[in-house]
Amino acid sequence: MDGEISAHSREADRDMTRLWRTWRTVYEMLWDRGYEVSDEELQISLQDFRAKYSDPMGYPDRNKMKIQARPTEDMKMKYTALPTKSNPSPQPDCGTIYVDFCPDSSSIGAKQVRAFNHLVDENNFHTGIFITQTPISSAAIRMLNSMPGRICENFQEQDLLVNITRHELVPKHVLLSPEEKLRLLQRYRLKESQLPRIQIADPVARYLGLRRGQVVKIIRKSETAGRYASYRWVI
């Protein structure tokens, strides 16, 4: 009996530790995208995470794990189109983001996604991130991407165990505002389609929530130049 309790305790501890790492990466991802998050949220300890988000048996309680965050002023600037005659006062194409950890461990399909979409729409969230323990079906992915005026994304917990952007071999990616993008194209007398490209499905593009048509600045270290920048058009 003691052995069983010990085994359960070790399993619960392992699950909590893995999910804590994912939780930390999610907060880092929100911060890197430009949302308002506190240092306390970014740096939550395993002990505090366990106290807040475990069930009575010591296992993770994903029903408690929900996040909302608002965009910073800097993020709003980067997501506001340039004024035009037809739209002289464009509004930022960003807003409150909602993150939900799906408690189901298998068979993630239309039922769970429908419930998530309803919650995002009902609460007027601009963006939703649905984090699952296992892959979701292709039909569910289509449903996730089907809401007009909303952006919904899916990540698996294991994809976020490690923050790929913190690896020394991954260069820093910085999203340009529409004004910065225009200045870049004017300076080099280019069309955006003449820039090198980055796929929207690229892991760093997914992490940053990049959208088609945006331009990202990539800053690399160089032994000779110190640092140098290149640019990619998101497609």
Side-chain angles (χ1 to χ4, degrees):
M1 187 71 176
D2 287 347
E4 270 185 49
I5 293 172
S6 180
H8 280 303
S9 178
R10 285 196 301 271
E11 183 185 5
D13 188 60
R14 187 168 58 247
D15 288 353
M16 286 302 299
T17 302
R18 283 173 59 86
L19 205 49
W20 168 68
R21 290 169 59 192
T22 295
W23 181 262
R24 290 268 300 252
T25 300
V26 169
Y27 265 105
E28 290 167 354
M29 180 168 71
L30 295 180
W31 170 262
D32 288 339
R33 289 187 182 196
Y35 292 97
E36 294 178 356
V37 296
S38 68
D39 288 342
E40 183 184 356
E41 292 163 333
L42 277 169
Q43 297 167 10
I44 187 169
S45 68
L46 176 56
Q47 182 180 354
D48 289 345
F49 179 77
R50 186 183 285 115
K52 245 179 135 172
Y53 300 110
S54 64
D55 65 16
M57 297 291 291
Y59 286 91
D61 186 350
R62 290 171 176 81
N63 290 306
K64 296 178 182 176
M65 298 175 62
K66 303 179 190 304
I67 302 169
Q68 294 181 34
R70 297 177 302 181
T72 59
E73 291 304 313
D74 183 59
M75 183 180 184
K76 289 178 185 177
M77 180 191 71
K78 290 191 174 187
Y79 281 84
T80 302
L82 294 172
T84 61
K85 284 184 180 178
S86 59
N87 186 12
S89 302
Q91 296 302 301
D93 188 14
C94 61
T96 302
I97 191 168
Y98 172 72
V99 184
D100 195 4
F101 284 73
C102 182
D104 299 335
S105 58
S106 59
S107 303
I108 311 298
K111 175 186 171 185
Q112 293 90 341
V113 170
R114 192 177 293 111
F116 174 77
N117 280 1
H118 177 72
L119 201 153
V120 169
D121 197 43
E122 187 177 45
N123 290 279
N124 201 29
F125 295 123
H126 181 277
T127 305
I129 298 181
F130 191 46
I131 298 180
T132 56
Q133 300 174 58
T134 55
I136 66 176
S137 67
S138 54
I141 290 173
R142 286 195 296 274
M143 183 180 290
L144 194 66
N145 296 325
S146 66
M147 280 201 299
R150 313 275 184 225
I151 296 171
C152 289
E153 309 165 45
N154 169 242
F155 288 89
Q156 282 182 248
E157 289 178 7
Q158 65 183 28
D159 296 338
L160 299 169
L161 279 170
V162 175
N163 186 337
I164 55 168
T165 67
R166 302 298 192 261
H167 194 284
E168 62 179 9
L169 295 180
V170 177
K172 186 173 180 61
H173 290 58
V174 179
L175 174 63
L176 298 189
S177 68
E179 188 175 341
E180 290 168 333
K181 173 184 169 181
L182 179 63
R183 284 204 302 265
L184 172 76
L185 297 176
Q186 288 175 337
R187 187 191 315 150
Y188 295 108
R189 298 180 182 178
L190 293 171
K191 296 179 180 176
E192 58 183 15
S193 58
Q194 293 175 294
L195 290 169
R197 301 176 180 194
I198 182 172
Q199 298 284 337
I200 203 165
D202 177 272
V204 177
R206 288 191 69 223
Y207 174 89
L208 291 173
L210 300 181
R211 303 180 198 167
R212 287 186 175 85
Q214 292 179 325
V215 171
V216 65
K217 179 180 182 180
I218 301 176
I219 304 165
R220 290 182 169 86
K221 294 177 183 176
S222 164
E223 290 184 6
T224 53
R227 293 184 173 220
Y228 71 97
S230 58
Y231 299 88
R232 296 286 185 274
W233 181 47
V234 184
I235 61 165

Short mmCIF file of all heavy atoms in Angstrom, two decimals, residues 41-64:
data_model
loop_
_atom_site.label_atom_id
_atom_site.label_comp_id
_atom_site.label_asym_id
_atom_site.label_seq_id
_atom_site.Cartn_x
_atom_site.Cartn_y
_atom_site.Cartn_z
N GLU A 41 3.81 36.30 -12.29
CA GLU A 41 3.26 35.25 -13.15
C GLU A 41 4.35 34.58 -13.97
O GLU A 41 4.34 33.36 -14.18
CB GLU A 41 2.20 35.86 -14.08
CG GLU A 41 0.95 36.34 -13.34
CD GLU A 41 0.10 37.29 -14.16
OE1 GLU A 41 0.67 37.99 -15.04
OE2 GLU A 41 -1.10 37.36 -13.91
N LEU A 42 5.30 35.39 -14.46
CA LEU A 42 6.38 34.85 -15.28
C LEU A 42 7.30 33.92 -14.49
O LEU A 42 7.85 32.96 -15.05
CB LEU A 42 7.23 36.00 -15.85
CG LEU A 42 6.73 36.68 -17.12
CD1 LEU A 42 7.52 37.95 -17.38
CD2 LEU A 42 6.84 35.74 -18.31
N GLN A 43 7.47 34.20 -13.23
CA GLN A 43 8.49 33.50 -12.45
C GLN A 43 7.90 32.61 -11.36
O GLN A 43 8.57 32.32 -10.37
CB GLN A 43 9.44 34.53 -11.84
CG GLN A 43 10.21 35.33 -12.89
CD GLN A 43 10.90 36.56 -12.31
OE1 GLN A 43 10.97 36.72 -11.10
NE2 GLN A 43 11.40 37.41 -13.19
N ILE A 44 6.67 32.16 -11.53
CA ILE A 44 6.03 31.35 -10.50
C ILE A 44 6.88 30.11 -10.19
O ILE A 44 7.39 29.44 -11.10
CB ILE A 44 4.59 30.95 -10.92
CG1 ILE A 44 3.87 30.25 -9.76
CG2 ILE A 44 4.60 30.07 -12.17
CD1 ILE A 44 2.38 30.05 -10.00
N SER A 45 7.06 29.83 -8.92
CA SER A 45 7.86 28.67 -8.50
C SER A 45 7.04 27.40 -8.61
O SER A 45 5.80 27.44 -8.62
CB SER A 45 8.35 28.85 -7.07
OG SER A 45 7.25 28.78 -6.17
N LEU A 46 7.71 26.27 -8.69
CA LEU A 46 7.02 24.99 -8.73
C LEU A 46 6.15 24.81 -7.48
O LEU A 46 5.02 24.32 -7.55
CB LEU A 46 8.03 23.84 -8.85
CG LEU A 46 7.47 22.42 -8.80
CD1 LEU A 46 6.41 22.19 -9.87
CD2 LEU A 46 8.61 21.40 -8.96
N GLN A 47 6.67 25.23 -6.35
CA GLN A 47 5.93 25.11 -5.09
C GLN A 47 4.62 25.90 -5.14
O GLN A 47 3.55 25.40 -4.76
CB GLN A 47 6.80 25.58 -3.93
CG GLN A 47 6.14 25.44 -2.56
CD GLN A 47 7.06 25.93 -1.44
OE1 GLN A 47 8.22 26.26 -1.68
NE2 GLN A 47 6.54 25.97 -0.23
N ASP A 48 4.69 27.14 -5.61
CA ASP A 48 3.49 27.97 -5.70
C ASP A 48 2.53 27.44 -6.76
O ASP A 48 1.30 27.47 -6.58
CB ASP A 48 3.85 29.42 -6.03
CG ASP A 48 4.52 30.12 -4.86
OD1 ASP A 48 4.44 29.60 -3.73
OD2 ASP A 48 5.13 31.19 -5.07
N PHE A 49 3.08 26.94 -7.86
CA PHE A 49 2.25 26.37 -8.92
C PHE A 49 1.49 25.15 -8.40
O PHE A 49 0.29 24.99 -8.64
CB PHE A 49 3.12 25.99 -10.12
CG PHE A 49 2.36 25.38 -11.26
CD1 PHE A 49 1.60 26.17 -12.11
CD2 PHE A 49 2.40 24.00 -11.48
CE1 PHE A 49 0.89 25.60 -13.16
CE2 PHE A 49 1.69 23.43 -12.52
CZ PHE A 49 0.94 24.23 -13.36
N ARG A 50 2.19 24.30 -7.66
CA ARG A 50 1.56 23.10 -7.11
C ARG A 50 0.45 23.48 -6.12
O ARG A 50 -0.63 22.89 -6.13
CB ARG A 50 2.63 22.24 -6.41
CG ARG A 50 2.09 20.91 -5.93
CD ARG A 50 3.14 20.10 -5.19
NE ARG A 50 4.13 19.53 -6.11
CZ ARG A 50 5.41 19.87 -6.14
NH1 ARG A 50 5.88 20.79 -5.31
NH2 ARG A 50 6.22 19.30 -6.99
N ALA A 51 0.71 24.49 -5.30
CA ALA A 51 -0.28 24.90 -4.31
C ALA A 51 -1.54 25.46 -4.98
O ALA A 51 -2.66 25.29 -4.48
CB ALA A 51 0.32 25.95 -3.38
N LYS A 52 -1.35 26.11 -6.13
CA LYS A 52 -2.46 26.78 -6.80
C LYS A 52 -3.25 25.88 -7.73
O LYS A 52 -4.48 26.01 -7.85
CB LYS A 52 -1.91 27.95 -7.63
CG LYS A 52 -2.34 29.33 -7.17
CD LYS A 52 -1.72 30.39 -8.06
CE LYS A 52 -2.77 31.41 -8.41
NZ LYS A 52 -2.20 32.57 -9.12
N TYR A 53 -2.56 24.96 -8.39
CA TYR A 53 -3.19 24.26 -9.51
C TYR A 53 -3.23 22.73 -9.39
O TYR A 53 -3.44 22.05 -10.39
CB TYR A 53 -2.47 24.65 -10.83
CG TYR A 53 -2.55 26.12 -11.11
CD1 TYR A 53 -1.42 26.93 -11.02
CD2 TYR A 53 -3.76 26.72 -11.43
CE1 TYR A 53 -1.49 28.29 -11.26
CE2 TYR A 53 -3.84 28.08 -11.67
CZ TYR A 53 -2.70 28.86 -11.59
OH TYR A 53 -2.79 30.21 -11.82
N SER A 54 -3.05 22.20 -8.19
CA SER A 54 -3.15 20.75 -8.05
C SER A 54 -4.50 20.37 -7.45
O SER A 54 -5.15 21.19 -6.78
CB SER A 54 -2.02 20.20 -7.17
OG SER A 54 -2.12 20.71 -5.85
N ASP A 55 -4.94 19.14 -7.70
CA ASP A 55 -6.17 18.65 -7.08
C ASP A 55 -5.83 18.01 -5.72
O ASP A 55 -4.65 17.96 -5.34
CB ASP A 55 -6.87 17.66 -8.03
CG ASP A 55 -6.08 16.38 -8.27
OD1 ASP A 55 -5.13 16.09 -7.50
OD2 ASP A 55 -6.40 15.66 -9.23
N PRO A 56 -6.82 17.53 -4.97
CA PRO A 56 -6.54 16.96 -3.65
C PRO A 56 -5.57 15.79 -3.65
O PRO A 56 -4.92 15.50 -2.64
CB PRO A 56 -7.93 16.52 -3.16
CG PRO A 56 -8.88 17.43 -3.87
CD PRO A 56 -8.28 17.66 -5.22
N MET A 57 -5.43 15.11 -4.80
CA MET A 57 -4.50 13.97 -4.91
C MET A 57 -3.09 14.41 -5.32
O MET A 57 -2.19 13.59 -5.41
CB MET A 57 -5.03 12.96 -5.93
CG MET A 57 -6.36 12.34 -5.55
SD MET A 57 -6.20 11.24 -4.13
CE MET A 57 -5.25 9.91 -4.87
N GLY A 58 -2.93 15.71 -5.59
CA GLY A 58 -1.61 16.21 -5.98
C GLY A 58 -1.36 16.24 -7.47
O GLY A 58 -0.28 16.61 -7.92
N TYR A 59 -2.37 15.85 -8.26
CA TYR A 59 -2.24 15.88 -9.72
C TYR A 59 -2.66 17.26 -10.26
O TYR A 59 -3.41 17.98 -9.59
CB TYR A 59 -3.12 14.80 -10.36
CG TYR A 59 -2.59 13.40 -10.20
CD1 TYR A 59 -2.96 12.61 -9.11
CD2 TYR A 59 -1.71 12.85 -11.14
CE1 TYR A 59 -2.48 11.33 -8.96
CE2 TYR A 59 -1.22 11.58 -10.99
CZ TYR A 59 -1.60 10.81 -9.90
OH TYR A 59 -1.10 9.55 -9.74
N PRO A 60 -2.24 17.60 -11.46
CA PRO A 60 -2.64 18.89 -12.03
C PRO A 60 -4.16 18.97 -12.22
O PRO A 60 -4.77 18.00 -12.67
CB PRO A 60 -1.92 18.93 -13.39
CG PRO A 60 -0.85 17.91 -13.30
CD PRO A 60 -1.32 16.86 -12.36
N ASP A 61 -4.74 20.09 -11.87
CA ASP A 61 -6.16 20.34 -12.13
C ASP A 61 -6.26 21.39 -13.23
O ASP A 61 -6.23 22.59 -12.98
CB ASP A 61 -6.86 20.82 -10.85
CG ASP A 61 -8.37 20.95 -11.03
OD1 ASP A 61 -8.83 20.85 -12.20
OD2 ASP A 61 -9.07 21.18 -10.03
N ARG A 62 -6.38 20.91 -14.46
CA ARG A 62 -6.36 21.82 -15.60
C ARG A 62 -7.60 22.70 -15.67
O ARG A 62 -7.60 23.72 -16.36
CB ARG A 62 -6.19 21.01 -16.90
CG ARG A 62 -4.80 20.41 -17.04
CD ARG A 62 -4.72 19.44 -18.22
NE ARG A 62 -3.37 18.94 -18.42
CZ ARG A 62 -2.84 17.94 -17.71
NH1 ARG A 62 -3.54 17.35 -16.73
NH2 ARG A 62 -1.60 17.52 -17.95
N ASN A 63 -8.66 22.32 -14.98
CA ASN A 63 -9.86 23.16 -14.95
C ASN A 63 -9.58 24.50 -14.27
O ASN A 63 -10.30 25.47 -14.48
CB ASN A 63 -10.99 22.44 -14.23
CG ASN A 63 -11.53 21.27 -15.03
OD1 ASN A 63 -11.90 21.43 -16.19
ND2 ASN A 63 -11.54 20.08 -14.44
N LYS A 64 -8.55 24.55 -13.43
CA LYS A 64 -8.19 25.79 -12.75
C LYS A 64 -7.25 26.65 -13.61
O LYS A 64 -7.01 27.81 -13.29
CB LYS A 64 -7.47 25.49 -11.43
CG LYS A 64 -8.30 24.77 -10.39
CD LYS A 64 -7.43 24.49 -9.16
CE LYS A 64 -8.18 23.73 -8.08
NZ LYS A 64 -7.29 23.39 -6.94
#
